[in-house]
Amino acid sequence: DVKVTQSSRYLVKRTGEKVFLECVQDMDHENMFWYRQDPGLGLRLIYFSYDVKMKEKGDIPEGYSVSREKKERFSLILESASTNQTSMYLCASSPRKGDEKLFFGSGTQLSVL
Amino acid sequence: KQEVTQIPAALSVPEGENLVLNCSFTDSAIYNLQWFRQDPGKGLTSLLLIQSSQREQTSGRLNASLDKSSGRSTLYIAASQPGDSATYLCAVTGGSEKLVFGKGMKLTVNP
């Protein structure tokens, strides 16, 4: 079975801190995604990557950056955390373009105080 | 811009009922449609993926159909069980190759 692992289940940070959310997948998938999920707003795409060292902006990239130095790892970075970034963050991967079946991690509930 | 709608937002039924969950999308130019399940506080699990050339997919008690021309998909759950209680989301992949999600439907199956 495909496994997508997010490094933290719960995280509490202070406003202004730099925050790293890590995601690792073990099935050699080319595509990786970061979403945030908020009540009433559903899932929104932050950034995605179709290959190593490649990244593309999703629908809400402001305040975030990403890094994909290795195929299996996709990191989401909050350069200066703000309270409106309190959310559930979900990482996902899919095999390749044309095979979009998504596999999700368990999520990281981030609270910014 | 593609929009995906799931109505109703919540549904509560007694155990054993056959259920139909609805999903509609505004742009029929899609590559595929997926149905997901999400348990509280957890990530999403892919249930079924229907390619644009297909009309339906089945997995166990689940059957998903796709009507591209009308912009609709349904997820049929046969003989519902309390363990089916979860939020069900549909998502479509279109020309941008990014998934667009509905907001989900929270299902409660009462014993």
Side-chain angles (χ1 to χ4, degrees):
Chain A
D1 276 355
V2 175
K3 193 159 186 182
V4 180
T5 302
Q6 294 184 232
S7 54
S8 303
R9 186 74 186 88
Y10 300 97
L11 213 51
V12 180
K13 295 292 182 181
R14 297 281 181 193
T15 302
E17 280 194 71
K18 190 169 186 177
V19 181
F20 293 86
L21 301 183
E22 306 287 347
C23 176
V24 177
Q25 50 92 5
D26 66 357
M27 283 301 290
D28 202 36
H29 284 180
E30 293 181 2
N31 307 334
M32 297 189 75
F33 307 83
W34 274 106
Y35 292 88
R36 63 177 284 178
Q37 185 176 31
D38 302 285
L41 296 177
L43 273 87
R44 293 179 290 169
L45 181 63
I46 306 171
Y47 267 97
F48 60 104
S49 168
Y50 286 141
D51 202 353
V52 177
K53 296 191 187 294
M54 178 262 175
K55 60 186 178 185
E56 289 195 37
K57 294 179 179 180
D59 299 318
I60 51 163
E62 297 78 19
Y64 303 94
S65 63
V66 290
S67 171
R68 194 164 180 203
E69 294 296 318
K70 294 185 177 181
K71 190 174 185 179
E72 67 271 18
R73 186 181 296 271
F74 193 36
S75 304
L76 180 69
I77 303 156
L78 286 66
E79 296 290 344
S80 178
S82 63
T83 55
N84 63 13
Q85 292 178 310
T86 292
S87 185
M88 168 70 90
Y89 289 87
L90 293 164
C91 175
S93 70
S94 64
R96 66 195 67 78
K97 279 191 179 185
D99 185 353
E100 287 88 10
K101 183 173 181 179
L102 272 184
F103 297 84
F104 278 85
S106 298
T108 296
Q109 180 62 53
L110 173 67
S111 297
V112 183
L113 306 178
Chain B
K1 180 184 174 186
Q2 178 75 270
E3 292 184 5
V4 179
T5 303
Q6 295 181 250
I7 296 173
L11 185 65
S12 182
V13 299
E15 182 176 5
E17 282 201 6
N18 298 322
L19 305 175
V20 177
L21 283 60
N22 297 306
C23 173
S24 62
F25 46 95
T26 54
D27 185 349
S28 61
I30 64 170
Y31 291 151
N32 59 53
L33 182 145
Q34 295 185 64
W35 282 94
F36 295 87
R37 169 188 172 134
Q38 185 176 31
D39 294 295
K42 299 285 182 64
L44 281 69
T45 300
S46 180
L47 297 174
L48 290 163
L49 183 152
I50 311 175
Q51 300 293 349
S52 61
S53 58
Q54 298 174 319
R55 294 299 300 267
E56 65 180 293
Q57 281 285 334
T58 298
S59 176
R61 293 184 294 110
L62 305 179
N63 175 275
S65 66
L66 174 63
D67 184 342
K68 271 183 55 177
S69 60
S70 67
R72 296 185 183 207
S73 175
T74 59
L75 178 66
Y76 177 82
I77 303 176
S80 58
Q81 304 170 357
D84 295 327
S85 297
T87 296
Y88 291 83
L89 298 94
C90 68
V92 298
T93 305
S96 66
E97 299 187 29
K98 295 183 293 184
L99 265 71
V100 178
F101 282 85
K103 292 183 179 178
M105 193 211 76
K106 183 176 180 181
L107 173 66
T108 303
V109 181
N110 300 300

